[in-house]
Amino acid sequence: MAGGGKLQAPRGTFDVLPEDGRRRAKLRALCEELFEPAGYGYVETPIFEATELFARGVGETTDIVQKEMFTFEDQGGRSLTLRPEGTAGVCRAYLEHGMHKQPQPVKLWYWGQFFRHEAPQAGRYRQFNQVGIEAIGSDDPSLDAESILLLFELLEKSGAKGVRLRLGSLGTPETRRAYSEELRDYLRGREGELSDEVRGRLDANPLRAFDSDHPGTQAVVKDAPKLLDRLNEEDAAHFAEVRALLDEAGREYEVDDALVRGIDYYTRTVFEFTSDALGAQSGVGGGGRYDGLIEMLGGPHTPGVGFAAGIERILLVSELEAGQDTPDVYVVRDGESTSAFVVLGALRGAGFSAQMEQAGRSLKGQLKHADRLGARAVVIVGSEGMSVRDMQSGDQRDVSDLAGALDALKQVVA
Ligand code: HAM
C-alpha cells in the first residue's frame, strides 16, 4: 500500500489504556454486584447479526437503521451488521434457545461493544460500550420499576453527577397509530412552521417532531396533542403502577409527555437518564418496555423491559477512581544474577504481587524504580546472596535462602 501516513485508530473509536481499563473493570464489577443478586444472568450475543434482525427489531424508519449501521456482506453474500444496540440480539437469543420454556421472567444482563455510524463528539463514538439488562416474559409493572431503580442505583454507586430521570409511556401500537394520525393532522395544519426534516418525515413518523431542536418546530409541538392523554385504560393503569412503585422507592423523576426514543420497539414505559455533567449528548442511559418485539422477530407474544447505559458516558460523569495497583515486592538484580527470575516466580507462587527489574537499570536506578512503583518491599538478589529491604522504614537484612526471604517478606508486607 502507498503512503507513509501515521496510522491512527479509526474515526470515532478510542483505545482503552490501563488506567481507563481499571475504571472500567470497577464499573463492571459494580454491575455484576447489582444485577446478579437481582436475578439477572450474564449473556453475550454476537457482535454482528443478520441485518434483518435490526431492520425488523429496531425499525426501518429509525435513524439507527437508516443512517447509522455498519453493514457488510460476508463471503457467502449474507448481509450482516455490527450490532447498534443489544435488545434485538438478546431477544433473538431468548427465542433461539427456547428460553420461553424456562420460568418467566427470564432476566439477563450484558456488557460489550456496540457500533453506530454517528458524527463523533464528546461522549459519542462509533464504537462504544453499553451495559444493559432485559427482563423477558412478563408485563408486570414491577419489572419496569426494577429496571429503572437498578439503573438509578448503578449511577449512584458509580458516583455519577447531575443525574435526572425522565419517564413516559407510549401505550400500545394501536394507540400510537391513532395518536400519530391525530398528531399528523395537527402538524399538517401548521406545516409552514416546521423544519424541512420534520416535514419530510410527517408521513413516516410524525412523532419525530418532538425530537427536533428547530425552534419553529418546537413551538408547534408545544401545543400539540399529547400521547399520554390518549393512553387506553390498561396502559394508563400500568403507567400509574410504575409511577407508584418509583414514588414508593423515593426516586424522583419528571413525567415527559413527549419522550421519544430513537428505537421503534417500545410500548408502554419509556425512560431516559441524563446527566447535567454531559454536554449535548446528555443521555447516560435509557430503556423501556418492548411487548411486541419478540413477535416482530417471529416468536410468540412475549413482553419485555430493560435498559442500556453508555459505559463511556457513565465514566465521563462519575467519580469512580482507577485505583493504583502497587506491587508487594520488587526484585532487584544485583550483578550477573540469573536466579532473580526464579525468585520472582517463587514470590508470585507464594501469593505476593511481584515484579522484577527487566530493563537493565543500575542498582540505584532499580531502587528508585521500586519506589516509584510503590513497592512495599524489595528483594535484592546478588551473586553472593539475598537481602530483603522494607521500603518504608529502609531496614534491610540479609537472608540465607528463599525460605528466609519469604519469612522476612511476610513480616514486612503483612
Ligand atoms: P439507547 O438509548 O439507544 O438504547 O442507548 C443506550 C445508551 O447507550 C445511551 O443512553 C448512551 O448512553 C449510549 N450510547 C448510545 N449511542 C452512543 C454512542 N454513539 N456513543 C456513546 N454512547 C452511546 C438502547 O440501545 C436500547 N437497547 C436500550 C434498551 C434496553 N431498551 C430496552 N432494553
Side-chain angles (χ1 to χ4, degrees):
M1 238 190 269
K6 238 194 225 161
L7 281 172
Q8 290 184 331
R11 190 167 149 73
T13 70
F14 52 85
D15 299 307
V16 175
L17 302 182
E19 185 177 332
D20 188 14
R22 284 197 294 272
R23 294 184 80 215
R24 282 165 193 264
K26 263 198 173 171
L27 184 57
R28 190 180 163 133
L30 255 177
C31 292
E32 198 169 327
E33 280 164 30
L34 270 174
F35 304 150
E36 292 279 344
Y40 292 79
Y42 182 72
V43 284
E44 270 178 30
T45 59
I47 298 270
F48 55 85
E49 298 262 8
T51 302
E52 195 192 342
L53 173 68
F54 303 114
R56 277 210 247 164
V58 173
E60 295 276 10
T61 67
T62 58
D63 275 353
I64 294 182
V65 170
Q66 286 198 343
K67 312 189 220 168
E68 298 172 1
M69 298 207 299
F70 285 90
T71 297
F72 60 98
E73 239 178 48
D74 71 3
Q75 272 103 329
R78 283 168 289 256
S79 180
L80 299 172
T81 292
L82 298 184
R83 60 185 189 184
E85 64 94 48
T87 310
V90 168
C91 287
R92 195 244 339 116
Y94 174 92
L95 269 178
E96 192 167 329
H97 300 284
M99 289 191 229
H100 59 281
K101 291 187 206 111
Q102 295 174 14
Q104 307 293 301
V106 172
K107 294 175 163 190
L108 304 165
W109 77 278
Y110 52 92
W111 168 293
Q113 279 104 21
F114 295 86
F115 304 83
R116 294 183 194 178
H117 198 283
E118 298 190 79
Q121 62 180 75
R124 199 213 268 154
Y125 310 96
R126 291 184 174 172
Q127 175 175 332
F128 57 99
N129 290 269
Q130 281 187 347
V131 59
I133 70 172
E134 313 292 352
I136 306 175
S138 163
D139 65 3
D140 196 290
S142 71
L143 289 166
D144 307 52
E146 181 171 276
S147 232
I148 294 167
L149 292 173
L150 282 170
L151 183 48
F152 243 130
E153 214 173 321
L154 175 64
L155 293 171
E156 200 165 79
K157 289 215 158 111
S158 56
K161 286 171 292 201
V163 170
R164 280 189 235 225
L165 167 64
R166 286 183 301 139
L167 181 67
S169 176
L170 300 179
T172 57
E174 295 73 48
T175 307
R176 218 152 55 239
R177 227 167 285 137
Y179 168 74
S180 271
E181 289 298 322
E182 186 186 355
L183 179 66
R184 194 178 289 125
D185 288 346
Y186 166 81
L187 293 173
R188 281 250 162 75
R190 297 179 63 176
E191 212 169 325
E193 299 165 64
L194 302 174
S195 76
D196 291 346
E197 208 201 338
V198 170
R199 204 177 317 122
R201 285 204 173 189
L202 265 185
D203 280 325
N205 196 351
L207 278 160
R208 297 304 298 271
F210 288 106
D211 249 355
S212 173
D213 40 27
H214 176 258
T217 306
Q218 284 181 341
V220 174
V221 143
K222 238 180 110 209
D223 306 322
K226 298 296 177 321
L227 178 55
L228 270 186
D229 299 325
R230 301 288 184 270
L231 297 185
N232 69 34
E233 211 174 304
E234 278 185 358
D235 293 346
H238 192 276
F239 189 49
E241 178 71 19
V242 173
R243 293 187 53 179
L245 292 169
L246 293 179
D247 293 339
E248 189 78 22
R251 290 298 194 178
E252 278 179 28
Y253 58 86
E254 184 196 318
V255 173
D256 187 337
D257 51 21
L259 184 56
V260 180
R261 308 258 308 123
I263 299 175
D264 278 354
Y265 50 60
Y266 290 112
T267 52
R268 293 185 161 175
T269 314
V270 282
F271 56 91
E272 207 150 74
F273 283 83
T274 56
S275 166
D276 301 339
L278 283 171
Q281 296 303 311
S282 61
V284 262
R289 181 161 279 290
Y290 44 88
D291 293 347
L293 175 56
I294 291 194
E295 237 169 320
M296 288 196 284
L297 302 181
H301 174 75
T302 313
V305 64
F307 74 73
I311 304 302
E312 288 73 31
R313 294 195 191 166
I314 295 180
L315 291 174
L316 272 172
V317 300
S318 87
E319 283 152 356
L320 218 61
E321 298 277 343
Q324 185 63 36
D325 271 336
T326 57
D328 297 329
V329 192
Y330 192 78
V331 180
V332 166
R333 298 155 89 174
D334 184 11
E336 284 303 305
S337 149
T338 50
S339 47
F341 193 66
V342 177
V343 172
L344 178 76
L347 292 176
R348 288 180 179 167
F352 291 103
S353 60
Q355 298 182 34
M356 85 170 195
E357 176 55 27
Q358 290 172 308
R361 288 177 187 80
S362 69
L363 191 58
K364 203 171 139 206
Q366 293 184 49
L367 286 167
K368 208 168 134 193
H369 186 56
D371 194 45
R372 193 165 42 214
L373 290 174
R376 246 332 251 111
V378 150
V379 178
I380 301 163
V381 183
S383 37
E384 303 294 297
M386 268 191 285
S387 50
V388 171
R389 181 186 178 102
D390 181 332
M391 290 296 279
Q392 257 162 39
S393 66
D395 292 344
Q396 183 169 327
R397 64 177 151 122
D398 292 341
V399 291
S400 48
D401 55 10
L402 200 53
L406 290 173
D407 274 348
L409 282 171
K410 269 175 205 146
Q411 283 164 32
V412 177
V413 174

